[in-house]
Amino acid sequence: MSKSINRKRVVVTGMGSVNPLGMNVDALWQNMLAGKCGIVPLTSIDLTDYKVKIGAQVNRTELAAALEGIKVRPSDRAVDMALLASSQALADACIMTDEPSDIGTLFGTGVGCSESLYNANTRFAERGVRGLRPTSVPRCMANAISSQISMKFKLTGPNYVLVSACSSATSAIGTAFRMIQDGHASTILCGGSDSPFDPLVFGAWDSLGVMSKNADPTTACRPFDANRDGCILGEGAGALLMESLEHASERNAHIHAELCGYGESSDAGHMTRPSQDGQVRAIRGAVASAGIELGEIGFINAHGTATRTNDECESGSIRAAMAEHADRILIASNKSFFGHMLGASGVAESIVVIEGLKAGIVPQNLNLDDPDPACRINLVADSAEKIDAPVALKNSFGFGGGNAVLVWRRWES
Amino acid sequence: MTRKEILVKLRHVMKQASQEHIDWNTVIEDATIESLGFDSLSMLDLIYDIQQEFDIEFEAEELVSINRVSEMVTFLEKNTSP
């Protein structure tokens, strides 16, 4: 698809982050620059019979204190973290929330309000149908995330949740981008939230067998390394306040970055095995929608889960889509810093991309001690790299075959 | 139960469900439900707690649009009387 001159430019004017590496964007970025890993032994559930006992967990004490600060009573971790990230993004964008505004709310999630669902299941198992609270429906529905945000901050625009597994937040951001680009909305709060750390969801992932068996938290997640043996799950939320450039200019908003392209595709093949064909179509679609030359791209923030299959497939996809530029463009995954945040990973990693474009820095691939020869791409090694190129891609690929790619551009004021 | 007994018991149930930092012993019948920290979601939880504590069954919709404590006490007075 070619870029139409009638389409509006879309910029980010507010960011919020709740991450295992810290409770706001600055804490996330500074801890990444310091090379800190947010993966720890999991303490929130009894893992006696589980094979995997580590994950990237948001600090519970800090989250509770931060929620009290915005007068939110904890209900479900995915909702709570999304509310906090949203509060930060709106404040960062200087959006007042004491009066209703026509801002839209689009969030992505992979497992949704799984804590509420687990609690309802537990009560049902213990007390039968009379144990089910009337709030089970509004608490368990996946769109409780966007609904609660919309109600808390009086955002009266479109309000829904997109679910596409690990590409959910990226799909939400991309969908919001198109809505603003085509004039259906001027401002949208978008992002993602996920928490897989309840006994049922984490148990299901434990059973699936795609998580690393390495018990050492700091070395278990090794994207693109020859000795990688699986992903490590994480939890968190991120929010971006996106608006048309003209709307941002009218209100003199500070601009963090421009989102200039979005591509998506479906593998239409296998439920858990990725497809190079599908990924390449999404990457090429994103580049085409942005109307950029491959030479403008400085780095790609990879999906980079550290499973054997993903990293090899994604490397091939990047090489095929970037052609002769594949040897130059820097590639890094952030999942060795804060785990795989599932449906929230796309927004957490987009925030890292935006901070990277602003600072001219691509954080390193933690634990890339021995790059896998099967991953023939230009991987950032054990220290951060400086970059000058103005454009970066964010790849997200999900179970079920959904592929989503964003094209971010540094904002030149 | 007398109206006064219902109010005392209701205050206790509300305190558990609300988690607001207020002196529940001083809550009067004229107080609005909203002023006690209940929103559309926690109101549903409160209704469930009332059903459990007062051991009565009713549809949540019967109480969900109530605005004041007094209306709730009246409803319970009617539905808990022998």
Side-chain angles (χ1 to χ4, degrees):
Chain A
M1 188 195 305
S2 62
K3 195 173 183 183
S4 163
I5 56 170
N6 296 321
R7 286 184 166 161
K8 297 178 190 300
R9 293 174 71 181
V10 180
V11 293
V12 173
T13 55
M15 299 197 289
S17 172
V18 177
N19 188 290
L21 280 181
M23 302 304 290
N24 54 54
V25 171
D26 191 52
L28 164 64
W29 180 243
Q30 293 304 325
N31 278 321
M32 288 191 73
L33 291 180
K36 188 177 173 187
C37 173
I39 299 168
V40 294
L42 289 173
T43 55
S44 57
I45 48 179
D46 178 4
L47 295 169
T48 305
D49 295 327
Y50 291 64
K51 296 189 285 283
V52 178
K53 301 177 192 297
I54 60 175
Q57 194 173 260
V58 167
N59 185 302
R60 312 259 150 164
T61 308
E62 290 180 10
L63 177 62
L67 289 171
E68 194 168 341
I70 59 167
K71 296 181 179 165
V72 167
R73 189 172 64 171
S75 61
D76 178 283
R77 290 184 63 71
V79 172
D80 297 344
M81 294 189 296
L83 283 166
L84 183 55
S86 297
S87 167
Q88 295 170 4
L90 290 163
D92 184 36
C94 298
I95 302 277
M96 300 297 117
T97 57
D98 45 356
E99 293 293 330
S101 61
D102 63 357
I103 297 172
T105 313
L106 267 65
F107 267 63
T109 187
V111 297
C113 301
S114 61
E115 181 184 3
S116 296
L117 197 57
Y118 177 78
N119 290 339
N121 273 323
T122 302
R123 291 175 67 89
F124 182 74
E126 289 172 353
R127 300 169 60 180
V129 72
R130 284 178 59 85
L132 290 173
R133 285 180 169 275
T135 47
S136 298
V137 171
R139 284 196 193 285
C140 294
M141 61 191 194
N143 65 314
I145 296 170
S146 61
S147 302
Q148 293 270 31
I149 294 168
S150 165
M151 289 189 293
K152 169 74 178 171
F153 302 112
K154 302 185 176 71
L155 311 182
T156 64
N159 149 30
Y160 53 90
V161 156
L162 283 87
V163 180
S164 56
C166 312
S167 59
S168 300
T170 306
S171 299
I173 295 167
T175 302
F177 164 71
R178 287 176 176 167
M179 290 169 72
I180 298 169
Q181 200 181 36
D182 291 342
H184 301 298
S186 63
T187 312
I188 296 179
L189 181 67
C190 58
S193 187
D194 247 330
S195 176
F197 298 134
D198 68 80
L200 182 63
V201 171
F202 193 68
W205 279 85
D206 195 62
S207 173
L208 186 61
V210 298
M211 293 194 287
S212 171
K213 307 299 184 295
N214 181 344
D216 176 16
T218 58
T219 63
C221 186
R222 327 177 56 81
F224 303 107
D225 187 80
N227 296 311
R228 70 187 183 278
D229 70 338
C231 66
I232 293 295
L233 294 192
E235 66 176 355
L240 302 176
L241 196 286
M242 302 207 310
E243 55 190 308
S244 66
L245 175 57
E246 60 187 3
H247 191 269
S249 300
E250 278 170 16
R251 64 184 198 92
N252 290 319
H254 171 74
I255 295 172
H256 289 289
E258 179 178 7
L259 179 57
C260 56
Y262 174 54
E264 59 186 346
S265 71
S266 178
D267 295 341
H270 194 281
M271 191 57 90
T272 58
R273 191 172 58 234
S275 146
Q276 191 170 308
D277 170 66
Q279 293 180 359
V280 169
R281 282 188 286 114
I283 296 170
R284 285 181 176 153
V287 170
S289 84
I292 58 165
E293 301 295 329
L294 294 180
E296 295 178 79
I297 300 171
F299 67 96
I300 297 176
N301 186 300
H303 189 52
T305 59
T307 63
R308 303 287 325 167
T309 311
N310 175 83
D311 292 3
E312 188 172 335
C313 180
E314 184 174 12
S315 299
S317 301
I318 289 171
R319 179 155 288 279
M322 295 296 112
E324 70 273 19
H325 295 274
D327 291 326
R328 174 189 58 80
I329 294 170
L330 291 165
I331 312 294
S333 165
N334 302 148
K335 290 185 172 67
S336 45
F337 284 94
F338 46 72
H340 190 346
M341 287 162 57
L342 304 178
S345 61
V347 65
E349 292 157 11
S350 285
I351 288 168
V352 175
V353 169
I354 292 167
E355 288 298 299
L357 285 169
K358 285 158 66 176
I361 292 173
V362 189
Q364 64 270 43
N365 281 296
L366 280 183
N367 300 323
L368 184 64
D369 299 330
D370 182 13
D372 186 349
C375 301
R376 290 192 311 112
I377 47 178
N378 185 24
L379 293 161
V380 180
D382 57 358
S383 60
E385 296 256 11
K386 290 187 175 176
I387 49 113
D388 191 41
V391 175
L393 268 54
K394 168 67 223 136
N395 287 348
S396 294
F397 308 130
F399 279 174
N403 306 302
V405 178
L406 301 168
V407 183
W408 293 102
R409 182 184 286 278
R410 182 173 58 225
W411 184 251
E412 310 283 358
S413 55
Chain B
M1 292 176 81
T2 66
R3 195 171 177 89
K4 190 176 178 185
E5 288 171 333
I6 290 171
L7 178 61
V8 170
K9 190 168 182 176
L10 184 60
R11 282 177 185 152
H12 176 72
V13 177
M14 290 177 125
K15 181 182 178 182
Q16 303 304 315
S18 167
Q19 296 179 7
E20 284 287 307
H21 300 300
I22 51 181
D23 182 357
W24 289 89
N25 292 324
T26 64
V27 170
I28 57 173
E29 287 199 22
D30 200 39
T32 64
I33 304 296
E34 191 181 3
S35 72
L36 302 176
F38 292 98
D39 58 19
S40 58
L41 199 55
S42 54
M43 181 67 184
L44 283 172
D45 269 334
L46 174 63
I47 289 170
Y48 176 82
D49 291 339
I50 289 171
Q51 289 171 337
Q52 300 296 304
E53 292 296 322
F54 286 84
D55 195 24
I56 55 173
E57 284 193 29
F58 57 88
E59 295 299 327
E61 282 191 3
E62 294 180 63
L63 270 188
V64 81
S65 58
I66 272 179
N67 293 318
R68 291 186 187 277
V69 173
S70 57
E71 297 169 67
M72 204 168 262
V73 173
T74 301
F75 177 87
L76 291 169
E77 195 175 30
K78 195 185 304 176
N79 287 277
T80 55
S81 56

